[in-house]
Amino acid sequence: MTSKERAKALVSQMTLPEKLSQLTNEAAAIERLGIPEYNWWNEALHGFARSGVATVFPQAIGMAASFDTKLMREVADAISTEARAKYNEYKKFGRTKIYQGLTCWSPNINIFRDPRWGRGHETYGEDPYLTSEMGVAFVKGMQYGFEEHPKYRKVDATLKHFAAHSGPEKGRHSFDSVVSKKDLHETYLAAFKYIIEKARPAAVMGAYNRVNGEPACGSKTLLQDILYGEWAFDGYVVSDCGAICDIDSFHKVTSNRAESAALAVNNGCYMNCGSAFKFLKVAVAEGMVSEETVTKAVEKLFEARFDLGLFDETEYDSIPYSKVNCAEHRALALEMSRNATVLLKNNGILPFGKDDGIKNIAVIGPNADATTVLVGNYNGTLSEYTTPLFGIRDMARKYGKDVRYAIGCHHTSDAGNDGNIEEAVIAAKYADAVVLCLGLTPQLEGEEGDAYNSDLGGDKPGLSLPKVQLDLFEMMKSVGKPIIVVNISGSAIDLRFADENAAAVIQSFYPGQDGGKALAEIMFGEVEPTAKLPVTFYASDEQLPDYSDYSLKGRTYRYMTEKPLYPFGYGLGYNKYAVSDIRCDGTVTSSGATVSCDIENLGKMPGGNVVQVYISHKNKPDAPICQLIAFKKISLAAGEKKTVEFDIPVDRFMLYDSDGELILEDGEATLYIGTCSPVKEEFCAKTDITIKA
Amino acid sequence: MTSKERAKALVSQMTLPEKLSQLTNEAAAIERLGIPEYNWWNEALHGFARSGVATVFPQAIGMAASFDTKLMREVADAISTEARAKYNEYKKFGRTKIYQGLTCWSPNINIFRDPRWGRGHETYGEDPYLTSEMGVAFVKGMQYGFEEHPKYRKVDATLKHFAAHSGPEKGRHSFDSVVSKKDLHETYLAAFKYIIEKARPAAVMGAYNRVNGEPACGSKTLLQDILYGEWAFDGYVVSDCGAICDIDSFHKVTSNRAESAALAVNNGCYMNCGSAFKFLKVAVAEGMVSEETVTKAVEKLFEARFDLGLFDETEYDSIPYSKVNCAEHRALALEMSRNATVLLKNNGILPFGKDDGIKNIAVIGPNADATTVLVGNYNGTLSEYTTPLFGIRDMARKYGKDVRYAIGCHHTSDAGNDGNIEEAVIAAKYADAVVLCLGLTPQLEGEEGDAYNSDLGGDKPGLSLPKVQLDLFEMMKSVGKPIIVVNISGSAIDLRFADENAAAVIQSFYPGQDGGKALAEIMFGEVEPTAKLPVTFYASDEQLPDYSDYSLKGRTYRYMTEKPLYPFGYGLGYNKYAVSDIRCDGTVTSSGATVSCDIENLGKMPGGNVVQVYISHKNKPDAPICQLIAFKKISLAAGEKKTVEFDIPVDRFMLYDSDGELILEDGEATLYIGTCSPVKEEFCAKTDITIKA
């Protein structure tokens, strides 16, 4: 029997109350049918989360910076292995509670529309295509590892938050995202569609907000018409936690809880994280929901449980607990961290070396020895980890250098900072170089209620670092030693102060358990930095449109007309790389195109780069200024040259019209191929093409 | 000219307002006299504190557990070296702010009268004699290093809090310590007197509370009669911070601030931490304070500044900044930490070894990876440090063992602990031994306002660990693996649960920067534990008298009639030791006595012990049941035997009468000599003596 058939058979034996007991995340046991208690709520953004010790990989935004889909799939495979290893033990307690199951509410594939959004670091950045590919890799790694099981999913991945969800955090329970059809399909839905098609995620999570007036968790347009309809999604939809209550409490679209529950389930939101579905009893009794709909919902959910093998013995049962944070996974987290750390500026001071005249390094700043920035949010518990201070000191000793630490200031407060700043000045004075670890924390930018140090319900007020950190930078500058700024944050920061005054600038996105070690390896040249920005680093707050405006106008590299500080796709290495010999048909038709080029490592150390292909349509005023359509992470030995080939399907040459339809139009376009987005033309070669419908 | 003469000459040039500007901790600059701004407030209990990175030695209570006066003096020497190294840099900014000077408000030699007192961990424990000797070592190390400078003090040490100050923290600003003359002199003042006589501390700090009705900072009895009078103290008295305001605001002994300031300065409290002395202007104008008194106060303070060489060039000016947390001091902190860790029970499971059949160790508990417990309170900033988890894991790998970590529970809260406890159960199940790191934090026990997680203004409600930790222990016990309980706290805990059920019990008193490394060295037998409890570990809350009662009746090993769980002076090693061949004159006269014995290490590893001498007077119903009168820390190679000799002056054979007078009386007594207090008779040999007045 298929899982569908088994689910149907099992559910047919249930009474209505039994069925209703299965539709919230705290699904009850039905002992007479051999069904144990199961809590559907699990988190796994960048490591199995909130369930004790687990390998803590870099935060999602950092993994996106790797542009490395293979590595991403390895990470997701490791996460799901740890989830299984834990589940195998937890289930021996007779039931699995919150954070102990296999239905993971990850990845977060919302578009990081605005850098002020607190939860942006949970995402893969601002680009629909990068998000799509990273999401596919993540979902496949989670659900299938590297080899799909003929019968069972390893865990369930859940695409969230469907849809058009990217702040403001404050007021998210009543917010209405007003989005044009074009923006909706081109930007906010594109990755959902792509990943569902390519990776078949088990679930989708509805968002808190409304979209054009309809509450996302009860939206006929989003759920019935688009998700289940156009896209033929075959999984289940889960509500964000408490979101169904919001429909009457805050959106005020329904007049009571039973109506909210009915709206959700009738539109295909089958699993309620929260308690609203307790009102389905009333809703059924009053005829707002048919028992058939309830049955269909329960069947869908049991289909998933059968797909996971929760009622069978499977090969996954033998994954041992020793896999949790095992040496192999720790090494993988370190490797991802190396690939997630972006070098934004370097006047040549990096990498440090044995004979560079730098004997004493001052490591300064509120993020130098902070563990909270290693883990980001939705994280596991650290067991073995390296802060920047520990990583740099260990490495410095290896190279015969000394490190002196001073905190310099606290993240935001002036209180008690006076002595700290003086200590930092002294440390800088006795140093030959200053590594200044600034930035934010997941308590300053994150989810409503969780990022308790944010004054804006989790969001950032703007792009600037807290003033106390800028003051610290000025004091350090006044000492006169070269400064390497390491900014640790989950989002774009206005780094002009660093770009203009520092010898080097590194961006680390909540880098995971051994983030400090990866950072040190990069600073000392044991590893070449290869990561690229998955978001635009705007030059200032003035470049940002109104925060609550969901129009893409002026947002992200795709629609921004001003010059950013650091563009999407940007990131330096230590070697120089040459992209040459672009080969592509001058005319693209419905069969898509093959594009290739050579890339050569002109430097003296092994390294790598991300070859990126962008398209810029001519005379299409509504089209993105440019759009990433292909990329590949390449490793290259010193002096090595490789040919990179991209088979690009036709839809990436197509454009969305004002109805949100993707169409192939005749026209001219330029392809940019290089190691950054075309904002930095010096990193790109280009070629013109003709598109024929 | 002497410092006294220089001070007199300098102060004679000051106007009255200038003089008055010198009497609060924020002493103003007097530019026309070449006097820079100076803030008198500095902290150095167990490392130069609140002034950025400094070597963080074990908390005072842990250093007391070493019973090692030589090591204590080394630590204090290192602390004052770091203070000087920092001062030498800070002064280049043209003034020294709070926590940047040389006048250190340490040590805290209050008697740890009751284990519920939050600040008890700042002290050297419950015994006046141990406190005296550790205090002498600390003050000498701070002020003179190992060789007294002919002209200058290295830093100023300040004995605090004078007097009879040991909680309650809540209400300390209005509390009246009601103390009999006998208890006052025998217990609460004894260490002050001894240290002033033996080590000449520069300063004494007055307490917040009243003593028998008189506010300590304005007490004629304490300051005029006893301190400056009987004891001929030649230094300065500083108020606790804000304590002079308390005199009118909370004690209500005076009717306004000017009267409070007058009361304090007229009784010899010359330095005001706080702002009350701003009212001295009024007090002088109204005739409550004479200008002569003001002059005397200012002279005393400038005498100290001259003694510190603040207006001269001294050898101390060349102490380089590189001394701060240098390798030598880090090694010293580790060494003190080894000597501060007490083994309370061991069924033979410790030390772990290569072939002990223990392959997997579960390290569990809220203190396993906590950094806050490394530092205690009044601490410097950590730069290089080892938590128990990191220490044990590093060591385990060396011995071919694996470590798995689970937090198990948070310190006090049940919130979100369910999954934690299950993870801990799983970790224990797969382990051969469980190291359970329980205890408190300096946020749960500490100073009013500072220990913000205490519900009692910094104090503990009782001796029990928070229930959630006891529940965790029960869960661990149910798994059935041997448990090593590591309790990290600054005070005595009711450890019956551990004593009855654990294979081994270790007490760590906020162990300093490398506390986890020292712990691991001890657990793996690289170092023998030699520390002894400086406080009684009572068996239960029922053994404690009323908290606010300052009578010694029933308190501490000296007056306790019930059997404690672990007595003062107790602590196990891995070797067995034999104390034998006690030699002492049977009759003690006014010349005191010489007592000696042999101690032999009967074991197979190098180690050591603390030989302790106690006296128990016969037929003296008011005398302490027994009293420590001498001790010596001895290191012994495997099989080594040493003779230990004590020259014990006569006053240690004397008794306090009801007027607080120390008198030599005819009588009989028993001397107990061994490696614990005589509560554990099996660790002691004894001999009877006769005392002849």
Side-chain angles (χ1 to χ4, degrees):
Chain A
M1 284 208 290
T2 64
S3 293
K4 267 192 208 314
E5 290 161 350
R6 293 173 72 185
K8 214 176 174 67
L10 182 63
V11 174
S12 71
Q13 302 172 60
M14 294 180 190
T15 64
L16 178 62
E18 283 172 341
K19 289 179 203 170
L20 291 173
S21 75
Q22 299 301 304
L23 297 180
T24 70
N25 62 300
E26 294 177 342
I30 306 177
E31 286 180 22
R32 68 178 190 88
L33 299 176
I35 298 168
E37 191 181 314
Y38 180 80
N39 194 313
W40 287 72
W41 190 344
N42 300 282
E43 302 288 350
L45 267 189
H46 59 116
F48 199 65
R50 300 180 177 179
S51 191
V53 170
T55 305
V56 179
F57 295 93
Q59 177 59 298
I61 190 75
M63 298 202 286
S66 75
F67 280 66
D68 191 330
T69 53
K70 178 168 172 291
L71 194 57
M72 182 61 143
R73 188 162 177 175
E74 286 177 35
V75 165
D77 184 31
I79 294 171
S80 55
T81 293
E82 297 196 8
R84 277 279 177 183
K86 284 177 175 278
Y87 173 77
N88 289 339
E89 292 299 328
Y90 286 136
K91 72 180 177 188
K92 294 177 189 170
F93 291 88
R95 38 95 192 91
T96 43
K97 300 193 291 192
I98 189 169
Y99 310 137
Q100 299 184 339
L102 296 174
T103 42
C104 298
W105 294 348
S106 305
N108 183 339
I109 59 163
N110 288 130
I111 294 303
F112 199 167
R113 174 185 59 92
D114 188 294
R116 290 167 289 200
W117 186 35
R119 296 187 73 178
H121 53 94
E122 301 174 21
T123 76
Y124 302 135
E126 73 187 27
D127 183 60
Y129 180 63
L130 176 65
T131 299
S132 296
E133 292 293 1
M134 298 310 281
V136 165
F138 184 85
V139 170
K140 284 187 174 175
M142 290 284 281
Q143 296 197 157
Y144 320 119
F146 273 85
E147 195 180 358
E148 190 166 346
H149 192 286
K151 202 164 164 193
Y152 300 113
R153 279 193 301 270
K154 200 172 169 194
V155 303
D156 279 4
T158 305
L159 304 185
K160 69 185 183 189
H161 309 83
F162 194 66
H165 180 76
S166 52
E169 279 300 291
K170 202 169 191 166
R172 63 182 179 165
H173 300 285
S174 60
F175 186 75
D176 186 17
S177 300
V178 178
V179 192
S180 73
K181 284 190 176 174
K182 174 172 177 285
D183 284 344
L184 184 67
H185 287 272
E186 181 184 275
T187 297
Y188 298 113
L189 297 185
F192 285 93
K193 180 172 189 245
Y194 189 91
I195 299 167
I196 287 169
E197 185 183 324
K198 304 282 184 194
R200 291 167 290 120
V204 167
M205 177 180 279
Y208 282 119
N209 51 283
R210 275 170 289 162
V211 179
N212 296 328
E214 289 181 89
C217 289
S219 165
K220 178 175 176 300
T221 305
L222 287 177
L223 303 184
Q224 283 301 311
D225 298 349
I226 296 174
L227 181 65
Y228 291 111
E230 283 178 42
W231 301 350
F233 174 62
D234 192 36
Y236 54 98
V237 172
V238 50
S239 77
D240 206 336
C241 298
I244 297 173
C245 297
D246 293 350
I247 297 176
D248 51 283
S249 292
F250 300 112
H251 294 307
K252 302 194 185 297
V253 165
T254 54
S255 53
N256 60 48
R257 195 59 41 87
E259 284 182 22
S260 299
L263 185 71
V265 78
N266 283 335
N267 279 300
C269 180
Y270 295 142
M271 161 58 50
N272 170 212
C273 176
S275 57
F277 274 9
K278 289 185 180 155
F279 290 82
L280 281 180
K281 188 177 166 191
V282 178
V284 171
E286 294 186 358
M288 289 188 269
V289 174
S290 68
E291 183 161 354
E292 290 65 41
T293 298
V294 171
T295 302
K296 189 174 164 194
V298 182
E299 283 174 358
K300 261 290 162 210
L301 296 173
F302 274 93
E303 181 185 336
R305 288 171 78 169
F306 283 114
D307 281 342
L308 286 164
L310 298 195
F311 297 94
D312 304 336
E313 289 186 0
T314 79
E315 289 89 330
Y316 296 130
D317 299 347
S318 61
I319 293 176
Y321 198 68
S322 58
K323 283 286 183 186
V324 176
N325 202 28
C326 61
E328 184 194 346
H329 293 179
R330 295 197 305 269
L332 185 61
L334 175 61
E335 179 64 14
M336 184 51 108
S337 193
R338 292 169 182 140
N339 280 276
T341 306
V342 193
L343 180 63
L344 294 175
K345 181 188 173 180
N346 183 17
N347 73 356
I349 195 170
L350 295 181
F352 292 137
K354 273 206 155 56
D355 306 310
D356 57 5
I358 292 171
K359 171 78 184 103
N360 292 293
I361 300 173
V363 176
I364 292 173
N367 272 341
D369 196 32
T371 53
T372 175
V373 297
L374 298 181
V375 300
N377 70 358
Y378 283 99
N379 54 285
T381 301
L382 292 173
S383 171
E384 197 167 355
Y385 53 90
T386 321
T387 64
L389 174 62
F390 276 68
I392 294 168
R393 183 167 46 219
D394 284 354
M395 194 66 81
R397 285 187 178 149
K398 180 174 161 187
Y399 283 81
K401 301 182 196 298
D402 287 327
V403 161
R404 177 173 287 124
Y405 168 58
I407 192 166
C409 65
H410 299 291
H411 286 95
T412 55
S413 158
D414 276 311
N417 271 336
D418 270 9
N420 287 331
I421 287 194
E422 280 153 24
E423 185 194 20
V425 167
I426 298 165
K429 194 178 74 172
Y430 284 108
D432 304 303
V434 175
V435 177
L436 196 54
C437 298
L438 304 175
L440 302 177
T441 72
Q443 288 69 50
L444 285 166
E445 53 172 356
E447 188 167 0
E448 185 199 33
D450 194 32
Y452 49 80
N453 284 338
S454 160
D455 295 330
L456 293 171
D459 291 328
K460 297 193 298 184
L463 296 173
S464 286
L465 288 182
K467 181 173 179 300
V468 67
Q469 297 191 41
L470 298 176
D471 291 346
L472 175 63
F473 181 83
E474 288 303 314
M475 287 300 288
M476 293 297 94
K477 202 175 87 179
S478 72
V479 179
K481 304 300 170 64
I483 300 172
I484 295 98
V485 168
V486 177
N487 182 65
I488 306 182
S489 65
S491 59
I493 299 293
D494 176 355
L495 291 177
R496 283 175 298 173
F497 71 95
D499 188 65
E500 287 162 15
N501 301 291
V505 181
I506 293 173
Q507 172 66 31
S508 175
F509 294 102
Y510 302 140
Q513 58 187 28
D514 275 325
K517 188 170 185 192
L519 177 68
E521 288 177 341
I522 283 173
M523 295 185 74
F524 284 77
E526 302 215 337
V527 168
E528 174 171 50
T530 57
K532 305 288 180 181
L533 292 180
V535 288
T536 298
F537 272 50
Y538 298 86
S540 75
D541 289 342
E542 285 73 54
Q543 294 188 334
L544 298 177
D546 178 69
Y547 179 31
S548 58
D549 185 351
Y550 267 65
S551 163
L552 264 293
K553 189 169 186 313
R555 291 193 182 282
T556 80
Y557 80 93
R558 296 159 62 231
Y559 286 100
M560 188 185 175
T561 51
E562 294 176 69
K563 196 174 147 49
L565 179 61
Y566 302 118
F568 176 89
Y570 178 71
L572 301 171
Y574 292 135
N575 298 302
K576 291 215 161 174
Y577 293 85
V579 171
S580 62
D581 202 13
I582 297 179
R583 295 163 296 256
C584 110
D585 272 346
T587 302
V588 176
T589 62
S590 60
S591 56
T594 297
V595 177
S596 70
C597 69
D598 292 344
I599 179 166
E600 183 174 4
N601 177 354
L602 304 174
K604 292 187 176 165
M605 61 182 283
N609 218 315
V610 178
V611 182
Q612 304 163 45
V613 183
Y614 294 83
I615 190 168
S616 180
H617 294 268
K618 294 179 185 172
N619 304 313
K620 306 277 184 191
D622 294 334
I625 293 163
C626 68
Q627 170 65 55
L628 181 70
I629 57 170
F631 62 90
K632 216 168 251 180
K633 181 83 168 248
I634 307 292
S635 62
L636 288 162
E640 188 180 3
K641 188 180 198 172
K642 279 184 181 166
T643 296
V644 189
E645 194 174 273
F646 302 94
D647 285 318
I648 309 177
V650 67
D651 53 298
R652 289 186 219 148
F653 296 91
M654 294 162 76
L655 288 169
Y656 287 86
D657 68 11
S658 58
D659 289 328
E661 299 289 336
L662 190 59
I663 53 175
L664 188 67
E665 285 187 76
D666 285 352
E668 305 291 318
T670 304
L671 292 187
Y672 293 88
I673 306 180
T675 57
C676 181
S677 62
V679 173
K680 294 268 189 190
E681 284 199 43
E682 65 272 32
F683 291 90
C684 299
K686 63 184 176 181
T687 184
D688 285 335
I689 59 169
T690 300
I691 299 170
K692 287 269 177 216
Chain B
M1 282 209 292
T2 65
S3 294
K4 268 193 207 316
E5 291 161 350
R6 293 173 72 186
K8 214 174 175 66
L10 182 62
V11 174
S12 72
Q13 301 173 60
M14 294 181 190
T15 64
L16 178 61
E18 283 171 342
K19 289 180 203 169
L20 291 174
S21 76
Q22 299 302 303
L23 297 180
T24 69
N25 62 300
E26 293 178 342
I30 306 176
E31 286 181 20
R32 66 178 190 91
L33 299 176
I35 298 168
E37 192 183 314
Y38 180 80
N39 194 314
W40 288 72
W41 190 344
N42 300 282
E43 303 287 351
L45 268 189
H46 59 116
F48 199 64
R50 301 180 177 179
S51 190
V53 171
T55 306
V56 179
F57 295 93
Q59 177 60 299
I61 190 75
M63 297 202 286
S66 76
F67 279 65
D68 192 329
T69 54
K70 179 170 171 291
L71 194 56
M72 183 62 143
R73 188 162 177 174
E74 285 177 36
V75 165
D77 184 31
I79 294 171
S80 56
T81 293
E82 297 196 9
R84 276 280 176 182
K86 284 177 175 277
Y87 173 77
N88 289 339
E89 291 298 328
Y90 286 136
K91 72 180 177 190
K92 293 177 189 169
F93 291 88
R95 36 94 190 93
T96 42
K97 300 193 291 193
I98 189 169
Y99 309 137
Q100 299 184 339
L102 296 173
T103 42
C104 299
W105 294 349
S106 305
N108 182 339
I109 59 162
N110 288 131
I111 294 303
F112 198 167
R113 175 185 59 90
D114 188 294
R116 290 167 288 200
W117 185 34
R119 296 187 73 178
H121 54 93
E122 300 174 22
T123 76
Y124 301 135
E126 72 187 28
D127 183 60
Y129 180 63
L130 176 64
T131 299
S132 295
E133 292 294 2
M134 298 311 281
V136 165
F138 185 85
V139 170
K140 284 187 174 175
M142 289 285 281
Q143 296 197 158
Y144 319 120
F146 273 85
E147 194 180 356
E148 190 166 344
H149 193 286
K151 203 165 163 191
Y152 301 112
R153 280 194 300 270
K154 201 173 169 193
V155 304
D156 279 5
T158 305
L159 303 186
K160 70 186 181 187
H161 308 83
F162 193 66
H165 180 76
S166 53
E169 279 300 292
K170 203 169 190 165
R172 62 184 179 163
H173 301 283
S174 60
F175 186 75
D176 186 16
S177 300
V178 178
V179 191
S180 72
K181 283 190 175 174
K182 174 173 176 287
D183 284 345
L184 184 67
H185 287 272
E186 181 184 276
T187 298
Y188 299 113
L189 297 186
F192 284 94
K193 180 171 189 248
Y194 190 91
I195 299 167
I196 286 169
E197 185 183 322
K198 304 282 183 194
R200 291 167 290 119
V204 167
M205 176 180 280
Y208 283 119
N209 52 284
R210 275 171 288 161
V211 179
N212 297 328
E214 288 182 88
C217 288
S219 165
K220 177 176 176 297
T221 306
L222 287 177
L223 303 183
Q224 282 300 311
D225 298 347
I226 296 174
L227 180 65
Y228 290 111
E230 283 177 42
W231 301 351
F233 175 62
D234 192 35
Y236 55 97
V237 172
V238 52
S239 78
D240 206 335
C241 297
I244 297 172
C245 297
D246 293 350
I247 297 176
D248 50 284
S249 292
F250 299 112
H251 295 306
K252 303 195 183 298
V253 165
T254 53
S255 53
N256 60 48
R257 194 59 41 89
E259 284 181 22
S260 300
L263 185 70
V265 78
N266 285 334
N267 279 301
C269 179
Y270 295 142
M271 160 58 52
N272 170 212
C273 177
S275 57
F277 275 9
K278 289 185 180 153
F279 291 82
L280 281 180
K281 187 178 166 192
V282 178
V284 171
E286 296 187 358
M288 289 187 268
V289 173
S290 68
E291 182 161 356
E292 290 65 43
T293 297
V294 170
T295 302
K296 190 176 164 192
V298 182
E299 283 174 359
K300 262 291 162 211
L301 296 174
F302 274 92
E303 181 185 336
R305 289 171 77 168
F306 282 114
D307 281 342
L308 286 165
L310 299 195
F311 298 95
D312 304 336
E313 290 186 357
T314 78
E315 289 89 331
Y316 296 129
D317 299 347
S318 61
I319 293 177
Y321 198 69
S322 58
K323 283 286 182 186
V324 176
N325 201 28
C326 61
E328 184 194 344
H329 293 178
R330 295 197 304 268
L332 185 60
L334 175 61
E335 179 63 14
M336 183 51 108
S337 194
R338 292 168 181 142
N339 281 276
T341 306
V342 192
L343 180 63
L344 294 175
K345 180 188 174 181
N346 184 17
N347 73 357
I349 194 170
L350 295 181
F352 292 137
K354 275 205 155 53
D355 307 310
D356 57 5
I358 292 171
K359 172 79 185 101
N360 293 294
I361 300 172
V363 177
I364 292 173
N367 272 341
D369 196 33
T371 52
T372 174
V373 297
L374 298 181
V375 300
N377 70 357
Y378 282 101
N379 54 285
T381 301
L382 293 172
S383 171
E384 197 167 355
Y385 53 89
T386 322
T387 64
L389 173 62
F390 276 69
I392 294 168
R393 182 167 47 219
D394 284 353
M395 194 65 81
R397 286 188 177 149
K398 180 173 159 187
Y399 284 80
K401 301 182 196 298
D402 287 327
V403 161
R404 177 173 287 124
Y405 168 58
I407 192 165
C409 65
H410 299 291
H411 286 94
T412 55
S413 157
D414 276 311
N417 271 336
D418 269 10
N420 286 331
I421 287 193
E422 280 154 25
E423 186 195 18
V425 166
I426 298 165
K429 194 178 73 172
Y430 284 107
D432 304 303
V434 175
V435 177
L436 196 54
C437 298
L438 305 175
L440 302 178
T441 73
Q443 288 69 50
L444 285 166
E445 53 173 356
E447 188 168 0
E448 185 198 31
D450 195 31
Y452 47 79
N453 284 338
S454 159
D455 294 330
L456 293 171
D459 292 328
K460 297 193 296 183
L463 296 173
S464 286
L465 288 182
K467 181 173 179 301
V468 67
Q469 297 192 41
L470 298 175
D471 291 346
L472 175 63
F473 181 83
E474 288 303 314
M475 287 299 288
M476 292 297 93
K477 202 175 86 180
S478 71
V479 179
K481 303 299 171 64
I483 300 173
I484 295 98
V485 168
V486 177
N487 182 66
I488 306 183
S489 65
S491 59
I493 298 293
D494 176 355
L495 290 177
R496 283 175 299 174
F497 71 94
D499 188 66
E500 287 162 16
N501 300 292
V505 182
I506 292 173
Q507 172 66 30
S508 175
F509 293 103
Y510 302 141
Q513 58 187 29
D514 276 325
K517 187 169 185 195
L519 177 68
E521 288 177 341
I522 283 173
M523 295 185 74
F524 284 77
E526 302 216 337
V527 168
E528 174 171 49
T530 58
K532 305 287 180 180
L533 291 180
V535 287
T536 299
F537 272 49
Y538 299 85
S540 74
D541 289 342
E542 284 74 53
Q543 294 188 334
L544 298 177
D546 178 69
Y547 179 32
S548 59
D549 185 351
Y550 267 64
S551 164
L552 264 294
K553 189 169 187 308
R555 291 193 181 282
T556 80
Y557 80 94
R558 295 159 63 232
Y559 286 100
M560 188 186 177
T561 51
E562 294 175 70
K563 197 175 147 46
L565 179 61
Y566 302 118
F568 176 90
Y570 178 71
L572 301 171
Y574 292 134
N575 298 302
K576 290 215 159 172
Y577 292 85
V579 171
S580 61
D581 201 13
I582 297 178
R583 293 163 299 257
C584 111
D585 272 347
T587 303
V588 176
T589 63
S590 60
S591 56
T594 297
V595 176
S596 70
C597 68
D598 291 345
I599 179 166
E600 183 175 4
N601 177 353
L602 304 173
K604 292 186 175 166
M605 60 183 283
N609 218 314
V610 178
V611 181
Q612 304 163 47
V613 182
Y614 294 83
I615 189 167
S616 180
H617 294 268
K618 294 179 184 172
N619 305 313
K620 306 279 183 188
D622 294 334
I625 294 162
C626 68
Q627 170 64 55
L628 181 71
I629 58 170
F631 64 90
K632 217 167 252 179
K633 181 83 168 249
I634 306 292
S635 62
L636 289 162
E640 189 179 3
K641 188 179 196 172
K642 278 184 181 166
T643 297
V644 190
E645 195 174 273
F646 302 93
D647 284 317
I648 308 177
V650 66
D651 53 297
R652 289 186 219 149
F653 297 92
M654 294 162 77
L655 288 169
Y656 286 85
D657 68 11
S658 58
D659 289 327
E661 298 290 334
L662 190 60
I663 52 175
L664 188 67
E665 285 188 75
D666 284 353
E668 305 292 317
T670 303
L671 292 187
Y672 293 87
I673 306 180
T675 56
C676 182
S677 62
V679 173
K680 294 268 188 189
E681 284 198 43
E682 66 271 32
F683 290 90
C684 299
K686 62 182 176 180
T687 184
D688 285 334
I689 58 167
T690 299
I691 299 170
K692 286 270 179 216

